[in-house]
Structures are given as C-alpha cells and as structure tokens.
Amino acid sequence: MRFRHTVAATLGALTLVLTMPTSAGAAVGAFSYQYDDMSGERITVELIDPPSGPCITLPEVADDFVPPAHTPRNATDRPATVYAGVNCTGPQFTLRAHTGYGSERLKVRSVIFH
C-alpha cells in the first residue's frame, strides 16, 4: 500500500515539474533602450533575458542629474512596463511582448517584466 502512495506522489510531482514553464523567472528575448551620455553620444543598451517580476532600475540613468533613457523596444516574450522614475515609480507605459516600442519622447528610468 505504501508503495502505491509513493509511486502516485512521485508521478504527481513529475507531472507538475513537466508542466511548469521553463522560462519561469525570466523574460526570454531582448529589451533595449537608448540614452545620451555626458558627451551627447547616443548609446543603445540591451537587456538579454531579463528577470521577470522585480523592478529593474536602468543603471545608466538612475541619477536625477542624468537625463532619462528613451526609445524602449520590447522584444521579450513578456509585457514590459516602463516607468519615468527609478524603482518603478512615476508615470508608466506598458509595452507589448515581442513588438512593443516607444518613441524618443517616452522617458524611462526603470522597467518591470510581467
């Protein structure tokens, strides 16, 4: 009798593991944004397979004295909400998965992937 319960529990756990998404915890793909450095040069940054869930403050534009990033492109498999402030604060805009983008007018300092 114990053997049957053990086998049933093992099969149940195996089924659960096999049905869980393999990308749990990560948005698969690339998210990019642009910012202008102190000399005025435009720099493009890409986040490859960024984590899903936690807020990501963009390090290049985390300080208030630096202009925010702009022109975000979301080519990940998850929607991305970009924020005008650090720590996912301030005005926000959600970019669709795979094809979401914003113009140079969309100012960004942080992002979260859902």
XYZ file of all heavy atoms in Angstrom:
858
model
N 0.820 -1.194 0.000
C 0.000 0.000 0.000
C 0.867 1.261 0.000
O 0.583 2.190 -0.731
C -0.927 -0.041 1.215
C -1.928 1.070 1.211
S -3.132 0.854 -0.074
C -4.603 1.013 0.812
N 1.930 1.278 0.825
C 2.811 2.447 0.861
C 3.492 2.662 -0.481
O 3.715 3.783 -0.901
C 3.893 2.267 1.926
C 3.421 2.602 3.299
C 4.556 2.515 4.246
N 5.192 3.828 4.304
C 6.118 4.154 5.160
N 6.572 3.262 6.001
N 6.631 5.346 5.164
N 3.817 1.563 -1.148
C 4.483 1.657 -2.432
C 3.600 2.392 -3.440
O 4.068 3.242 -4.184
C 4.844 0.251 -2.933
C 5.504 0.277 -4.277
C 6.803 0.730 -4.420
C 4.822 -0.145 -5.412
C 7.415 0.762 -5.662
C 5.429 -0.111 -6.651
C 6.731 0.336 -6.778
N 2.289 2.072 -3.445
C 1.365 2.747 -4.362
C 1.292 4.236 -4.088
O 1.276 5.046 -5.004
C -0.034 2.132 -4.254
C -0.209 0.966 -5.150
C -1.655 0.583 -5.205
N -1.721 -0.817 -4.818
C -2.741 -1.412 -4.305
N -3.840 -0.746 -4.073
N -2.702 -2.676 -3.998
N 1.255 4.634 -2.830
C 1.208 6.054 -2.472
C 2.496 6.762 -2.902
O 2.464 7.888 -3.389
C 0.991 6.227 -0.963
C -0.382 5.844 -0.521
N -1.473 6.620 -0.783
C -0.825 4.751 0.154
C -2.539 6.034 -0.290
N -2.178 4.883 0.281
N 3.616 6.092 -2.710
C 4.902 6.657 -3.110
C 4.968 6.845 -4.618
O 5.390 7.895 -5.118
C 6.068 5.764 -2.637
O 5.967 5.592 -1.228
C 7.410 6.368 -2.990
N 4.526 5.846 -5.369
C 4.526 5.941 -6.835
C 3.576 7.047 -7.283
O 3.909 7.858 -8.153
C 4.148 4.579 -7.471
C 3.894 4.724 -8.958
C 5.243 3.557 -7.218
N 2.401 7.117 -6.687
C 1.430 8.151 -7.063
C 1.981 9.550 -6.766
O 1.837 10.466 -7.586
C 0.112 7.930 -6.324
N 2.615 9.715 -5.621
C 3.194 11.017 -5.272
C 4.327 11.379 -6.222
O 4.459 12.522 -6.661
C 3.696 11.000 -3.831
N 5.148 10.404 -6.564
C 6.256 10.652 -7.496
C 5.734 11.038 -8.868
O 6.226 11.985 -9.492
C 7.158 9.399 -7.592
O 7.631 9.079 -6.292
C 8.325 9.636 -8.537
N 4.733 10.325 -9.365
C 4.145 10.655 -10.666
C 3.487 12.031 -10.648
O 3.594 12.785 -11.613
C 3.137 9.586 -11.085
C 3.742 8.255 -11.526
C 2.641 7.237 -11.791
C 4.620 8.429 -12.742
N 2.831 12.375 -9.551
C 2.219 13.696 -9.427
C 3.259 14.806 -9.450
O 3.099 15.822 -10.125
N 4.359 14.599 -8.737
C 5.431 15.600 -8.717
C 6.078 15.724 -10.089
O 6.372 16.829 -10.556
C 6.476 15.223 -7.673
N 6.295 14.602 -10.770
C 6.884 14.627 -12.106
C 5.976 15.361 -13.094
O 6.448 16.176 -13.890
C 7.148 13.199 -12.590
C 7.777 13.064 -13.967
C 9.141 13.757 -13.989
C 7.918 11.611 -14.357
N 4.682 15.124 -13.012
C 3.731 15.816 -13.878
C 3.771 17.318 -13.630
O 3.775 18.113 -14.567
C 2.301 15.285 -13.640
O 2.297 13.886 -13.910
C 1.298 15.986 -14.528
N 3.842 17.711 -12.377
C 3.905 19.133 -12.031
C 5.168 19.767 -12.596
O 5.122 20.845 -13.187
C 3.851 19.309 -10.510
C 3.899 20.746 -9.998
C 2.696 21.524 -10.494
C 3.948 20.755 -8.483
N 6.300 19.101 -12.465
C 7.564 19.630 -12.976
C 7.516 19.758 -14.497
O 7.952 20.754 -15.063
C 8.749 18.743 -12.533
C 10.020 19.092 -13.297
C 8.971 18.888 -11.045
N 6.966 18.782 -15.169
C 6.920 18.808 -16.637
C 5.968 19.860 -17.181
O 6.139 20.331 -18.302
C 6.529 17.430 -17.181
C 7.569 16.330 -16.968
C 7.040 14.995 -17.469
C 8.883 16.671 -17.644
N 4.958 20.240 -16.413
C 4.005 21.237 -16.900
C 4.390 22.659 -16.539
O 3.784 23.604 -17.019
C 2.586 20.967 -16.350
O 2.625 20.988 -14.932
C 2.057 19.638 -16.843
N 5.433 22.844 -15.720
C 5.869 24.188 -15.360
C 6.613 24.806 -16.533
O 7.356 24.115 -17.233
C 6.794 24.154 -14.134
C 6.059 23.835 -12.856
S 7.172 23.708 -11.448
C 7.878 25.321 -11.416
N 6.422 26.111 -16.785
C 7.160 26.734 -17.880
C 8.656 26.751 -17.587
O 9.078 26.958 -16.459
C 6.600 28.158 -17.934
C 5.962 28.377 -16.617
C 5.569 27.032 -16.076
N 9.453 26.539 -18.633
C 10.898 26.505 -18.441
C 11.482 27.893 -18.269
O 12.586 28.051 -17.800
C 11.582 25.824 -19.642
O 11.202 26.535 -20.816
C 11.180 24.374 -19.742
N 10.749 28.924 -18.657
C 11.286 30.275 -18.562
C 10.794 31.016 -17.321
O 10.830 32.231 -17.283
C 10.910 31.063 -19.817
O 9.513 31.181 -19.891
N 10.338 30.273 -16.334
C 9.864 30.926 -15.122
C 10.972 31.788 -14.533
O 12.093 31.343 -14.374
C 9.406 29.885 -14.105
N 10.642 33.027 -14.260
C 11.627 33.912 -13.675
C 12.397 34.746 -14.675
O 13.184 35.587 -14.287
N 12.194 34.522 -15.967
C 12.920 35.316 -16.963
C 12.009 35.649 -18.134
O 11.183 34.849 -18.537
C 14.143 34.565 -17.455
N 12.182 36.830 -18.636
C 11.530 37.226 -19.882
C 12.514 36.866 -20.987
O 13.628 37.380 -21.025
C 11.237 38.717 -19.891
N 12.138 35.958 -21.856
C 13.048 35.481 -22.885
C 13.066 36.464 -24.056
O 12.022 36.824 -24.590
C 12.640 34.074 -23.363
C 13.554 33.591 -24.478
C 12.662 33.103 -22.188
N 14.260 36.897 -24.422
C 14.419 37.837 -25.522
C 15.199 39.058 -25.076
O 15.852 39.057 -24.034
N 15.106 40.111 -25.878
C 15.885 41.324 -25.607
C 14.975 42.530 -25.386
O 13.944 42.669 -26.041
C 16.836 41.612 -26.764
N 15.385 43.373 -24.463
C 14.751 44.659 -24.218
C 15.851 45.692 -24.404
O 16.933 45.569 -23.836
C 14.196 44.729 -22.792
C 13.652 46.074 -22.426
C 12.372 46.432 -22.793
C 14.426 46.996 -21.736
C 11.856 47.681 -22.463
C 13.935 48.246 -21.405
C 12.639 48.586 -21.773
N 15.593 46.703 -25.226
C 16.625 47.717 -25.454
C 16.089 49.111 -25.170
O 14.877 49.340 -25.166
C 17.155 47.640 -26.891
O 16.145 47.981 -27.808
N 17.011 50.012 -24.921
C 16.691 51.425 -24.708
C 17.895 52.242 -25.106
O 19.006 51.705 -25.272
C 16.290 51.693 -23.253
C 17.316 51.296 -22.230
C 18.260 52.210 -21.759
C 17.350 49.999 -21.721
C 19.203 51.839 -20.811
C 18.287 49.623 -20.775
C 19.213 50.543 -20.319
O 20.149 50.182 -19.383
N 17.682 53.524 -25.273
C 18.766 54.422 -25.637
C 18.882 55.527 -24.590
O 17.890 55.885 -23.952
C 18.519 55.050 -27.006
C 18.505 54.040 -28.122
C 18.256 54.685 -29.477
O 17.977 55.872 -29.585
N 18.367 53.886 -30.523
N 20.093 56.043 -24.452
C 20.319 57.206 -23.604
C 21.470 57.999 -24.202
O 22.246 57.478 -25.020
C 20.598 56.810 -22.147
C 21.954 56.200 -21.909
C 23.017 56.977 -21.457
C 22.175 54.849 -22.146
C 24.265 56.420 -21.248
C 23.420 54.284 -21.932
C 24.460 55.072 -21.487
O 25.700 54.528 -21.280
N 21.564 59.250 -23.838
C 22.641 60.112 -24.310
C 23.642 60.277 -23.175
O 23.273 60.697 -22.074
C 22.090 61.472 -24.741
C 21.089 61.333 -25.884
O 21.280 60.443 -26.729
O 20.116 62.106 -25.928
N 24.902 59.922 -23.441
C 25.904 60.032 -22.387
C 26.295 61.491 -22.167
O 25.789 62.397 -22.832
C 27.122 59.130 -22.659
C 27.976 59.592 -23.821
O 27.754 60.691 -24.373
O 28.901 58.840 -24.190
N 27.209 61.727 -21.248
C 27.581 63.097 -20.859
C 28.164 63.913 -22.007
O 28.080 65.128 -22.017
C 28.565 63.055 -19.690
C 27.981 62.420 -18.433
S 26.485 63.219 -17.882
C 27.159 64.352 -16.719
N 28.730 63.235 -23.017
C 29.282 63.952 -24.171
C 28.245 64.137 -25.278
O 28.542 64.715 -26.313
C 30.505 63.207 -24.719
O 30.101 61.963 -25.279
N 27.036 63.624 -25.050
C 25.977 63.760 -26.048
C 25.887 62.602 -27.020
O 25.035 62.598 -27.904
N 26.748 61.601 -26.856
C 26.712 60.436 -27.743
C 25.533 59.541 -27.381
O 25.285 59.261 -26.207
C 28.014 59.640 -27.629
C 28.062 58.458 -28.564
C 29.357 57.673 -28.451
O 30.311 58.151 -27.799
O 29.411 56.572 -29.014
N 24.793 59.095 -28.386
C 23.647 58.211 -28.166
C 24.143 56.776 -28.017
O 24.844 56.260 -28.872
C 22.680 58.316 -29.334
C 21.464 57.452 -29.101
C 20.208 58.008 -29.671
N 19.889 59.282 -29.052
C 18.976 60.108 -29.541
N 18.323 59.814 -30.628
N 18.729 61.251 -28.941
N 23.748 56.147 -26.912
C 24.163 54.782 -26.594
C 22.913 53.903 -26.557
O 21.895 54.285 -25.985
C 24.838 54.714 -25.198
C 25.948 55.751 -25.073
C 25.310 53.308 -24.886
C 27.169 55.496 -25.898
N 23.000 52.710 -27.148
C 21.925 51.726 -27.081
C 22.359 50.598 -26.159
O 23.466 50.079 -26.287
C 21.596 51.156 -28.473
O 21.178 52.229 -29.323
C 20.480 50.119 -28.404
N 21.478 50.236 -25.220
C 21.749 49.164 -24.265
C 20.700 48.082 -24.462
O 19.524 48.377 -24.701
C 21.681 49.691 -22.810
C 21.904 48.569 -21.811
C 22.690 50.806 -22.612
N 21.113 46.811 -24.351
C 20.191 45.683 -24.452
C 20.242 44.865 -23.177
O 21.330 44.553 -22.690
C 20.587 44.778 -25.627
C 19.682 44.896 -26.786
C 19.961 43.833 -27.857
O 20.877 43.005 -27.730
O 19.242 43.865 -28.847
N 19.077 44.522 -22.666
C 18.966 43.569 -21.564
C 18.534 42.250 -22.194
O 17.465 42.184 -22.808
C 17.918 44.020 -20.551
C 18.091 45.399 -19.921
C 16.916 45.699 -18.991
C 19.403 45.480 -19.171
N 19.353 41.212 -22.072
C 19.048 39.916 -22.653
C 18.459 39.011 -21.571
O 19.058 38.837 -20.511
C 20.304 39.253 -23.268
C 20.963 40.188 -24.274
C 19.965 37.903 -23.898
C 20.142 40.517 -25.488
N 17.287 38.429 -21.844
C 16.588 37.549 -20.907
C 16.521 38.146 -19.497
O 16.980 37.538 -18.523
C 17.246 36.165 -20.858
C 17.207 35.447 -22.199
O 16.355 35.797 -23.045
O 18.025 34.536 -22.404
N 15.958 39.349 -19.362
C 15.893 39.988 -18.042
C 14.960 39.234 -17.101
O 14.045 38.541 -17.546
C 15.340 41.377 -18.359
C 14.564 41.192 -19.615
C 15.283 40.129 -20.397
N 15.183 39.349 -15.792
C 14.310 38.662 -14.839
C 12.892 39.213 -14.882
O 12.674 40.391 -15.102
C 14.969 38.932 -13.484
C 15.807 40.140 -13.695
C 16.213 40.141 -15.137
N 11.940 38.324 -14.673
C 10.533 38.700 -14.614
C 10.141 38.927 -13.166
O 10.504 38.146 -12.304
C 9.690 37.547 -15.153
O 8.975 37.924 -16.247
N 9.411 39.987 -12.904
C 8.920 40.234 -11.555
C 9.537 41.412 -10.855
O 8.841 42.357 -10.531
N 10.857 41.400 -10.604
C 11.421 42.530 -9.863
C 11.580 43.775 -10.736
O 11.753 43.680 -11.950
C 12.785 42.029 -9.401
C 13.169 41.005 -10.410
C 11.866 40.370 -10.859
N 11.528 44.914 -10.095
C 11.765 46.179 -10.791
C 13.248 46.284 -11.120
O 14.097 45.975 -10.294
C 11.347 47.345 -9.888
S 11.705 48.946 -10.627
N 13.539 46.723 -12.333
C 14.922 46.926 -12.762
C 15.118 48.419 -13.015
O 14.510 48.982 -13.924
C 15.225 46.142 -14.053
C 14.995 44.648 -13.840
C 16.653 46.426 -14.528
C 14.999 43.835 -15.117
N 15.942 49.051 -12.188
C 16.305 50.446 -12.432
C 17.464 50.439 -13.417
O 18.447 49.735 -13.214
C 16.693 51.147 -11.122
O 15.534 51.207 -10.271
C 17.173 52.566 -11.372
N 17.339 51.207 -14.486
C 18.376 51.254 -15.514
C 19.579 52.010 -14.956
O 19.473 53.203 -14.646
C 17.829 51.920 -16.777
C 16.501 51.329 -17.292
C 16.033 52.068 -18.526
C 16.631 49.838 -17.556
N 20.731 51.339 -14.793
C 21.849 51.939 -14.066
C 22.406 53.208 -14.700
O 22.851 54.102 -13.986
C 22.898 50.829 -14.032
C 22.519 49.876 -15.108
C 21.033 50.000 -15.284
N 22.372 53.305 -16.016
C 22.951 54.470 -16.687
C 22.171 55.751 -16.436
O 22.699 56.852 -16.618
C 23.026 54.238 -18.210
C 23.824 53.029 -18.618
C 23.014 51.733 -18.622
O 21.819 51.748 -18.277
O 23.595 50.702 -18.988
N 20.910 55.627 -16.054
C 20.044 56.805 -15.884
C 19.391 56.835 -14.506
O 18.336 57.443 -14.321
C 18.975 56.862 -17.003
C 19.632 57.053 -18.359
C 18.103 55.621 -17.002
N 20.016 56.200 -13.528
C 19.442 56.097 -12.190
C 19.508 57.404 -11.401
O 18.716 57.612 -10.490
C 20.126 54.983 -11.411
N 20.444 58.293 -11.739
C 20.594 59.550 -11.012
C 19.743 60.649 -11.626
O 19.625 60.746 -12.861
C 22.060 59.987 -11.000
C 22.928 59.026 -10.208
O 22.475 58.542 -9.157
O 24.064 58.758 -10.659
N 19.189 61.504 -10.777
C 18.311 62.581 -11.250
C 19.014 63.605 -12.134
O 18.383 64.233 -12.963
C 17.679 63.308 -10.054
C 16.589 62.476 -9.400
O 16.003 61.613 -10.086
O 16.332 62.689 -8.206
N 20.332 63.767 -11.949
C 21.037 64.780 -12.743
C 21.344 64.307 -14.170
O 21.792 65.078 -14.999
C 22.320 65.231 -12.039
C 23.368 64.157 -11.923
C 24.292 63.958 -12.937
C 23.444 63.366 -10.791
C 25.256 62.969 -12.831
C 24.408 62.383 -10.677
C 25.320 62.177 -11.696
N 21.080 63.030 -14.464
C 21.288 62.464 -15.798
C 19.933 62.413 -16.510
O 18.941 62.002 -15.917
C 21.873 61.039 -15.681
C 22.036 60.393 -17.040
C 23.170 61.049 -14.925
N 19.870 62.816 -17.771
C 18.595 62.711 -18.498
C 18.143 61.250 -18.575
O 18.983 60.342 -18.638
C 18.918 63.253 -19.897
C 20.158 64.059 -19.722
C 20.910 63.439 -18.583
N 16.843 60.995 -18.565
C 16.350 59.614 -18.617
C 16.636 58.959 -19.964
O 16.929 59.629 -20.955
C 14.846 59.758 -18.382
C 14.539 61.162 -18.735
C 15.765 61.968 -18.496
N 16.513 57.641 -19.990
C 16.621 56.888 -21.236
C 15.342 57.107 -22.043
O 14.365 57.689 -21.561
C 16.827 55.411 -20.934
N 15.352 56.625 -23.269
C 14.203 56.791 -24.161
C 14.236 55.690 -25.215
O 15.123 54.846 -25.233
C 14.240 58.178 -24.821
C 15.541 58.481 -25.484
N 15.861 58.059 -26.744
C 16.637 59.140 -25.023
C 17.079 58.456 -27.061
N 17.576 59.116 -26.022
N 13.251 55.688 -26.090
C 13.140 54.773 -27.221
C 13.236 53.301 -26.796
O 14.035 52.539 -27.334
C 14.212 55.096 -28.290
O 14.331 56.511 -28.418
C 13.840 54.517 -29.634
N 12.416 52.864 -25.830
C 12.473 51.460 -25.426
C 11.875 50.542 -26.489
O 10.948 50.927 -27.206
C 11.631 51.432 -24.149
C 10.654 52.534 -24.332
C 11.395 53.610 -25.087
N 12.436 49.348 -26.603
C 11.954 48.313 -27.522
C 11.855 47.012 -26.742
O 12.835 46.562 -26.152
C 12.914 48.119 -28.691
C 13.176 49.350 -29.516
C 12.100 49.491 -30.585
N 12.376 50.558 -31.525
C 11.795 51.758 -31.494
N 10.960 52.053 -30.530
N 12.044 52.654 -32.393
N 10.680 46.397 -26.755
C 10.487 45.155 -26.026
C 10.340 43.984 -27.003
O 9.293 43.802 -27.600
C 9.245 45.230 -25.123
C 9.081 43.986 -24.286
O 10.042 43.266 -24.043
N 7.871 43.720 -23.850
N 11.397 43.206 -27.139
C 11.361 42.008 -27.981
C 11.379 40.747 -27.117
O 11.744 39.677 -27.578
C 12.538 42.018 -28.947
N 10.978 40.871 -25.844
C 10.892 39.702 -24.968
C 9.524 39.056 -25.139
O 8.635 39.603 -25.782
C 11.098 40.073 -23.482
O 9.950 40.772 -23.010
C 12.358 40.894 -23.276
N 9.356 37.909 -24.499
C 8.074 37.206 -24.568
C 7.108 37.631 -23.461
O 6.068 37.014 -23.286
C 8.294 35.693 -24.528
C 8.897 35.206 -23.220
O 9.404 36.039 -22.429
O 8.881 33.986 -22.980
N 7.444 38.686 -22.729
C 6.584 39.197 -21.648
C 6.298 40.676 -21.856
O 7.153 41.404 -22.357
C 7.281 39.042 -20.294
C 7.802 37.669 -19.969
C 6.736 36.827 -19.298
N 7.184 35.480 -19.076
C 7.628 35.004 -17.929
N 7.705 35.791 -16.879
N 7.991 33.753 -17.819
N 5.127 41.150 -21.451
C 4.894 42.603 -21.471
C 5.862 43.289 -20.512
O 6.243 42.722 -19.493
C 3.449 42.750 -20.973
C 2.837 41.405 -21.119
C 3.950 40.410 -21.002
N 6.258 44.495 -20.865
C 7.183 45.270 -20.030
C 6.540 46.615 -19.717
O 6.077 47.303 -20.620
C 8.502 45.482 -20.756
N 6.493 46.964 -18.450
C 6.003 48.282 -18.058
C 7.206 49.146 -17.727
O 8.022 48.781 -16.876
C 5.052 48.197 -16.852
O 3.951 47.344 -17.203
C 4.511 49.568 -16.477
N 7.326 50.261 -18.458
C 8.433 51.191 -18.226
C 7.930 52.347 -17.372
O 6.763 52.732 -17.451
C 9.044 51.694 -19.556
C 9.697 50.555 -20.309
C 8.016 52.376 -20.427
N 8.820 52.897 -16.563
C 8.480 53.972 -15.633
C 9.418 55.148 -15.832
O 10.603 54.971 -16.101
C 8.598 53.488 -14.186
C 7.611 52.403 -13.819
C 7.869 51.077 -14.135
C 6.420 52.723 -13.187
C 6.961 50.079 -13.809
C 5.507 51.733 -12.853
C 5.782 50.422 -13.169
O 4.875 49.437 -12.857
N 8.881 56.336 -15.623
C 9.678 57.560 -15.750
C 10.619 57.749 -14.569
O 11.627 58.436 -14.688
C 8.764 58.774 -15.882
N 10.320 57.131 -13.433
C 11.147 57.268 -12.240
C 11.899 55.999 -11.909
O 11.604 54.921 -12.435
N 12.887 56.107 -11.026
C 13.622 54.939 -10.548
C 12.712 54.116 -9.646
O 11.690 54.597 -9.157
C 14.915 55.343 -9.802
C 15.870 56.070 -10.728
C 14.605 56.172 -8.577
N 13.078 52.866 -9.455
C 12.325 51.951 -8.579
C 10.864 51.811 -8.992
O 9.982 51.671 -8.143
C 12.437 52.382 -7.114
C 13.861 52.393 -6.638
O 14.632 51.483 -6.938
N 14.236 53.431 -5.915
N 10.614 51.884 -10.299
C 9.273 51.696 -10.869
C 8.255 52.651 -10.254
O 7.199 52.245 -9.767
C 8.839 50.242 -10.755
S 9.892 49.153 -11.762
N 8.605 53.937 -10.278
C 7.728 54.988 -9.778
C 7.437 55.985 -10.895
O 8.153 56.040 -11.893
C 8.371 55.733 -8.597
O 9.607 56.315 -9.029
C 8.627 54.801 -7.421
N 6.413 56.759 -10.692
C 6.081 57.812 -11.649
C 5.226 57.311 -12.793
O 4.720 56.195 -12.767
N 5.059 58.164 -13.804
C 4.244 57.774 -14.960
C 4.773 56.477 -15.579
O 5.977 56.218 -15.588
C 4.409 58.946 -15.924
C 4.738 60.103 -15.049
C 5.555 59.528 -13.922
N 3.842 55.686 -16.082
C 4.205 54.377 -16.626
C 3.548 54.142 -17.975
O 2.555 54.783 -18.313
C 3.798 53.277 -15.658
C 2.295 53.211 -15.428
C 1.929 52.209 -14.352
O 2.768 51.725 -13.613
N 0.647 51.899 -14.256
N 4.113 53.201 -18.715
C 3.569 52.825 -20.013
C 3.930 51.359 -20.240
O 5.072 50.951 -20.020
C 4.173 53.688 -21.127
C 3.567 53.441 -22.473
C 2.351 54.006 -22.808
C 4.211 52.639 -23.399
C 1.778 53.779 -24.058
C 3.649 52.399 -24.647
C 2.431 52.974 -24.984
N 2.964 50.549 -20.673
C 3.218 49.134 -20.898
C 3.480 48.865 -22.374
O 2.714 49.306 -23.235
C 2.040 48.277 -20.390
O 1.893 48.510 -18.979
C 2.289 46.796 -20.620
N 4.561 48.140 -22.626
C 4.952 47.743 -23.972
C 4.576 46.277 -24.183
O 4.890 45.425 -23.337
C 6.460 47.908 -24.165
C 7.033 49.297 -23.873
C 8.556 49.248 -23.869
C 6.536 50.287 -24.898
N 3.917 45.980 -25.290
C 3.521 44.600 -25.597
C 4.743 43.685 -25.681
O 5.842 44.130 -25.983
C 2.815 44.540 -26.960
C 1.482 45.197 -27.010
C 0.861 44.957 -28.374
N 1.768 45.409 -29.431
C 1.516 46.408 -30.253
N 0.388 47.058 -30.185
N 2.386 46.742 -31.176
N 4.490 42.407 -25.493
C 5.536 41.406 -25.715
C 5.849 41.337 -27.209
O 4.975 41.605 -28.046
C 5.054 40.041 -25.223
N 7.065 41.029 -27.534
C 7.566 40.804 -28.892
C 7.694 42.051 -29.762
O 8.638 42.153 -30.524
C 6.742 39.745 -29.636
C 6.670 38.441 -28.929
N 7.742 37.600 -28.789
C 5.641 37.840 -28.280
C 7.383 36.537 -28.099
N 6.125 36.653 -27.772
N 6.749 42.983 -29.697
C 6.772 44.105 -30.653
C 6.569 45.471 -30.015
O 6.449 46.454 -30.733
C 5.683 43.920 -31.721
O 4.404 43.873 -31.068
C 5.885 42.661 -32.531
N 6.521 45.555 -28.704
C 6.246 46.833 -28.058
C 7.405 47.804 -28.174
O 8.564 47.413 -28.082
N 7.092 49.053 -28.431
C 8.146 50.060 -28.523
C 7.602 51.434 -28.167
O 6.404 51.670 -28.169
C 8.773 50.082 -29.915
C 7.827 50.544 -30.993
C 7.773 51.880 -31.376
C 6.983 49.648 -31.627
C 6.895 52.308 -32.350
C 6.104 50.067 -32.603
C 6.069 51.396 -32.969
O 5.192 51.822 -33.929
N 8.507 52.328 -27.871
C 8.168 53.708 -27.579
C 9.111 54.625 -28.336
O 10.219 54.240 -28.698
N 8.683 55.843 -28.535
C 9.495 56.808 -29.279
C 10.519 57.470 -28.355
O 10.593 57.187 -27.159
C 8.595 57.878 -29.895
O 8.127 58.751 -28.881
N 11.237 58.395 -28.914
C 12.223 59.164 -28.158
C 11.548 60.003 -27.072
O 12.169 60.378 -26.083
C 13.010 60.065 -29.117
C 14.205 60.701 -28.492
C 15.062 61.428 -29.520
O 15.017 61.088 -30.707
O 15.791 62.340 -29.093
N 10.267 60.269 -27.236
C 9.539 61.073 -26.245
C 9.177 60.296 -24.981
O 8.842 60.885 -23.972
C 8.267 61.650 -26.866
C 8.562 62.638 -27.976
C 7.323 63.213 -28.551
N 6.469 62.116 -29.031
C 5.259 62.245 -29.496
N 4.698 63.426 -29.547
N 4.570 61.215 -29.918
N 9.227 58.951 -25.040
C 8.906 58.124 -23.876
C 10.145 58.032 -22.983
O 11.131 57.381 -23.322
C 8.447 56.737 -24.304
C 8.017 55.790 -23.185
C 6.892 56.396 -22.339
C 7.579 54.459 -23.767
N 10.107 58.692 -21.848
C 11.245 58.755 -20.921
C 11.193 57.588 -19.946
O 10.137 57.273 -19.387
C 11.264 60.082 -20.169
C 11.263 61.298 -21.088
C 12.394 61.254 -22.102
C 12.383 62.466 -23.011
N 13.253 62.332 -24.172
N 12.340 56.953 -19.726
C 12.402 55.705 -18.969
C 13.580 55.724 -17.998
O 14.696 56.085 -18.378
C 12.580 54.511 -19.941
C 12.649 53.201 -19.178
C 11.479 54.476 -20.974
N 13.315 55.307 -16.741
C 14.388 55.102 -15.761
C 14.338 53.707 -15.132
O 15.300 53.282 -14.506
C 14.333 56.155 -14.665
C 14.742 57.545 -15.140
C 14.944 58.483 -13.967
N 15.088 59.846 -14.398
C 16.253 60.422 -14.697
N 17.354 59.742 -14.619
N 16.285 61.684 -15.083
N 13.200 53.008 -15.299
C 13.095 51.668 -14.751
C 12.053 50.872 -15.529
O 11.239 51.435 -16.263
C 12.759 51.702 -13.250
O 11.578 52.444 -13.004
N 12.092 49.544 -15.340
C 11.201 48.641 -16.083
C 10.907 47.411 -15.249
O 11.718 46.999 -14.421
C 11.835 48.243 -17.442
C 13.155 47.503 -17.238
C 10.885 47.422 -18.302
N 9.738 46.839 -15.478
C 9.374 45.569 -14.857
C 8.739 44.689 -15.927
O 7.966 45.166 -16.749
C 8.437 45.769 -13.639
C 8.271 44.487 -12.862
C 7.105 46.333 -14.055
C 7.634 44.662 -11.505
N 9.103 43.409 -15.932
C 8.564 42.444 -16.895
C 7.531 41.578 -16.183
O 7.788 41.090 -15.087
C 9.687 41.580 -17.479
C 10.666 42.404 -18.267
C 11.766 42.970 -17.648
C 10.457 42.636 -19.616
C 12.649 43.750 -18.356
C 11.339 43.438 -20.341
C 12.439 43.996 -19.717
N 6.381 41.384 -16.794
C 5.259 40.662 -16.172
C 5.169 39.242 -16.658
O 5.392 38.928 -17.755
C 3.942 41.365 -16.456
C 3.978 42.804 -16.068
N 3.788 43.218 -14.769
C 4.218 43.928 -16.785
C 3.889 44.543 -14.731
N 4.149 44.983 -15.927
